[in-house]
Amino acid sequence: MRLLRSTDLALRVLMRLAVADEGAVPTTPTTRDVSAAMEVPYTHAAKVVAELQHLGLLSARRGRGGGLALTEAGRTASVGAVVRAFEGEGDVVDCEGASPCPLHTGCRLRVALRRAQEAFYASLDPLTITDMVAAPTGPLLLNITMK
């Protein structure tokens, strides 16, 4: 299973914001700062930030003195819940798509893949964003330059 780029970016943004106020000088990076630091197109970063804001995991203030900040819900968010929100609830394989699989009514593989997907999420559910930035990760995240 491979995560979508947006899921990966969402997790990295949340983790970076979790340590943003732990540096020598607390920071409130902008979406443009996130885009540059994570080396992704601004439009992609903006979509991810908007979704994280919609989920209540970060706050965004515009204008002078604005920027992004992690909310308390963002700090305690389950990594599994964030991944589910970005990946969606769909199956790992599309058995009933544009060209349905002829085995879809009696296939055991689909059930096994669904169980594996749920086990994947279940292993991420107890982990929070705060857990993800414990040493040695947190100090490394502080080295990612954001203005």
Side-chain angles (χ1 to χ4, degrees), residues 60-83:
R61 287 176 293 141
R62 298 181 132 201
R64 188 176 181 98
L68 306 174
L70 199 60
T71 63
E72 187 55 35
R75 287 187 189 289
T76 60
S78 160
V79 173
V82 174
V83 172

Side-chain angles (χ1 to χ4, degrees), residues 2 13 21 23 33 38 49 63 67 69 72 75 82 98 104 106 113 136 141 146:
R2 179 173 218 140
V13 166
D21 55 356
D33 296 333
M38 303 294 180
V49 165
E72 187 55 35
R75 287 187 189 289
V82 174
H104 79 276
L113 290 173
L141 284 165
M146 286 197 204

Side-chain angles (χ1 to χ4, degrees), residues 52-107:
L52 290 170
Q53 187 178 12
H54 174 75
L55 293 170
L57 303 178
L58 64 78
S59 63
R61 287 176 293 141
R62 298 181 132 201
R64 188 176 181 98
L68 306 174
L70 199 60
T71 63
E72 187 55 35
R75 287 187 189 289
T76 60
S78 160
V79 173
V82 174
V83 172
R84 276 187 190 90
F86 277 85
E87 294 290 317
E89 293 293 325
D91 287 327
V92 175
V93 293
D94 186 11
C95 299
E96 298 171 7
S99 54
C101 175
L103 301 174
H104 79 276
T105 57
C107 182

Side-chain angles (χ1 to χ4, degrees), residues 15-27 133 136-146:
M15 290 169 61
R16 180 57 181 89
L17 291 176
V19 297
D21 55 356
E22 293 179 12
V25 178
T27 59
V133 298
T137 306
L140 291 173
L141 284 165
L142 288 171
N143 292 327
I144 297 175
T145 306
M146 286 197 204

